[in-house]
Amino acid sequence: MFTDETNRRPSRDRRFFVYGGLLFPIEHLSTIHDHIEKIRNEAGYRPTDILKFDTHSRPEHVSRDQATEAKRQIVSLCNELGCKFIAHIILHDIIRNQDPVQQVHWAADYVIGRYNKYLEEVEDIGICVVDNLPNGTEFRYLVDKFSVGLDLPDGRHIPLDRIKLFASTRIGASHAHSAMDIVLGSFRYVINNPRNLQAASTMIKQVAEMMWAYEKDGVRYVRDRGLIIRPPLENIRSRAYRSEYENLLRQLGELTNS
């Protein structure tokens, strides 16, 4: 699993902080690399160019249409390969007084914890690769996750025993990390009051299909698996905050079903 954060700084359109992870079997790593290498070449990306979802990162010699098509192909590739996606969301207003580094660590805990549960369910082991954490805290954080696991408020620890290796990376160090950035960026675009609703609908349908889920009576459920909402809706006492979450879920549902 590769992980990263987005929407760190709140704004009128960026109401939620998001942390996400992209999961895939290790045997797909070479396939992802080879296909993205081809996509990059066809779009005109040079070896040292960064391929991210963010339009502002697009090199000048790559057109907007070429970059958009490259990102579309990468999301489709991840979908075709059966990659799984996990996203944690929390309203910025709720965490505005928290330490910024702690915000990211707690969000990462949720996503990594779900990854460990996924590995338990499929009876497998895994590797967790995180993007750089704020203030250079990634290695101290990863050592803690490997040696201790998750620290719960009541003082208990949950070992992350299915994850056999924790590591850190950054964008540009692998094509797989670009894939994760683009899937996460697609999700971010959809929840950030998108102006192009047709594009948002296409994106969320593909991303939703990748979200880790379980099926019951023919219905897929992603809540608390591929989609982690914190705090849980039933624990939100503020009517205004609860309305923010309900509006977001309604928007996601409308775009998915349009």
Side-chain angles (χ1 to χ4, degrees), residues 189-190 194-205 255 258:
Y189 178 82
V190 172
R195 291 171 176 79
N196 187 332
L197 295 181
Q198 183 177 358
S201 177
T202 300
M203 289 180 190
I204 193 57
K205 287 173 182 177
L255 289 172
S258 64

Side-chain angles (χ1 to χ4, degrees), residues 223 229 231-237 241-242 245-246 249:
R223 191 81 63 85
I229 296 173
L233 289 182
E234 60 271 19
N235 294 349
I236 301 175
R237 297 182 180 180
Y241 292 169
R242 187 182 180 94
Y245 284 92
E246 290 172 343
L249 291 174

Side-chain angles (χ1 to χ4, degrees), residues 112-201:
I112 293 172
R114 287 300 183 282
Y115 176 45
N116 198 70
K117 285 183 178 295
Y118 171 81
L119 292 170
E120 289 177 358
E121 185 170 293
V122 298
E123 298 182 344
D124 208 344
I125 59 173
I127 297 169
C128 178
V129 184
V130 307
D131 195 274
N132 294 339
L133 295 177
N135 298 346
T137 57
E138 58 270 10
F139 292 113
R140 187 181 69 217
Y141 172 82
L142 296 177
V143 167
D144 184 61
K145 295 307 105 177
F146 180 75
S147 59
V148 178
L150 302 179
D151 297 304
L152 301 186
D154 61 9
R156 290 183 298 126
H157 302 294
I158 297 180
L160 299 168
D161 53 346
R162 289 282 177 169
I163 305 174
K164 304 304 182 182
L165 172 64
F166 289 88
S168 178
T169 189
R170 59 174 296 168
I171 194 73
S174 76
H175 292 336
H177 194 58
S178 287
M180 186 278 304
D181 179 274
I182 290 167
V183 172
L184 178 60
S186 299
F187 182 75
R188 178 194 68 204
Y189 178 82
V190 172
I191 70 171
N192 282 357
N193 192 24
R195 291 171 176 79
N196 187 332
L197 295 181
Q198 183 177 358
S201 177

Side-chain angles (χ1 to χ4, degrees), residues 24-252:
F24 56 86
I26 192 66
E27 57 265 28
H28 286 348
L29 181 60
S30 183
T31 302
I32 290 172
H33 175 91
D34 293 344
H35 278 71
I36 293 181
E37 184 76 9
K38 181 180 178 182
I39 291 168
R40 286 172 58 94
N41 291 337
E42 291 176 347
Y45 283 86
R46 297 168 183 166
T48 56
D49 290 335
I50 299 298
L51 175 51
K52 297 182 60 175
F53 183 87
D54 188 357
T55 301
H56 298 297
S57 69
R58 172 177 56 87
E60 292 183 358
H61 53 269
V62 175
S63 72
R64 182 182 292 270
D65 287 345
Q66 287 173 314
T68 299
E69 175 61 16
K71 291 182 286 187
R72 185 198 66 78
Q73 289 184 33
I74 289 171
V75 174
S76 294
L77 170 67
C78 291
N79 223 327
E80 292 166 6
L81 290 176
C83 297
K84 305 296 183 185
F85 180 61
I86 298 174
H88 167 278
I89 64 172
I90 189 165
L91 188 66
H92 272 296
D93 286 347
I94 291 176
I95 59 174
R96 63 178 179 270
N97 295 322
Q98 288 180 3
D99 174 77
V101 175
Q102 191 65 68
Q103 290 175 9
V104 180
H105 287 189
W106 282 340
D109 277 357
Y110 276 111
V111 171
I112 293 172
R114 287 300 183 282
Y115 176 45
N116 198 70
K117 285 183 178 295
Y118 171 81
L119 292 170
E120 289 177 358
E121 185 170 293
V122 298
E123 298 182 344
D124 208 344
I125 59 173
I127 297 169
C128 178
V129 184
V130 307
D131 195 274
N132 294 339
L133 295 177
N135 298 346
T137 57
E138 58 270 10
F139 292 113
R140 187 181 69 217
Y141 172 82
L142 296 177
V143 167
D144 184 61
K145 295 307 105 177
F146 180 75
S147 59
V148 178
L150 302 179
D151 297 304
L152 301 186
D154 61 9
R156 290 183 298 126
H157 302 294
I158 297 180
L160 299 168
D161 53 346
R162 289 282 177 169
I163 305 174
K164 304 304 182 182
L165 172 64
F166 289 88
S168 178
T169 189
R170 59 174 296 168
I171 194 73
S174 76
H175 292 336
H177 194 58
S178 287
M180 186 278 304
D181 179 274
I182 290 167
V183 172
L184 178 60
S186 299
F187 182 75
R188 178 194 68 204
Y189 178 82
V190 172
I191 70 171
N192 282 357
N193 192 24
R195 291 171 176 79
N196 187 332
L197 295 181
Q198 183 177 358
S201 177
T202 300
M203 289 180 190
I204 193 57
K205 287 173 182 177
Q206 289 191 309
V207 172
E209 191 173 336
M210 278 188 274
M211 282 185 161
W212 179 36
Y214 69 94
E215 288 197 13
K216 184 177 181 180
D217 298 327
V219 179
R220 291 182 76 250
Y221 295 91
V222 300
R223 191 81 63 85
D224 277 332
R225 286 204 170 195
L227 181 61
I228 308 165
I229 296 173
R230 287 297 177 269
L233 289 182
E234 60 271 19
N235 294 349
I236 301 175
R237 297 182 180 180
S238 166
R239 182 175 298 177
Y241 292 169
R242 187 182 180 94
S243 179
E244 292 266 16
Y245 284 92
E246 290 172 343
N247 289 340
L248 174 63
L249 291 174
R250 186 179 304 111
Q251 173 186 319
L252 292 175

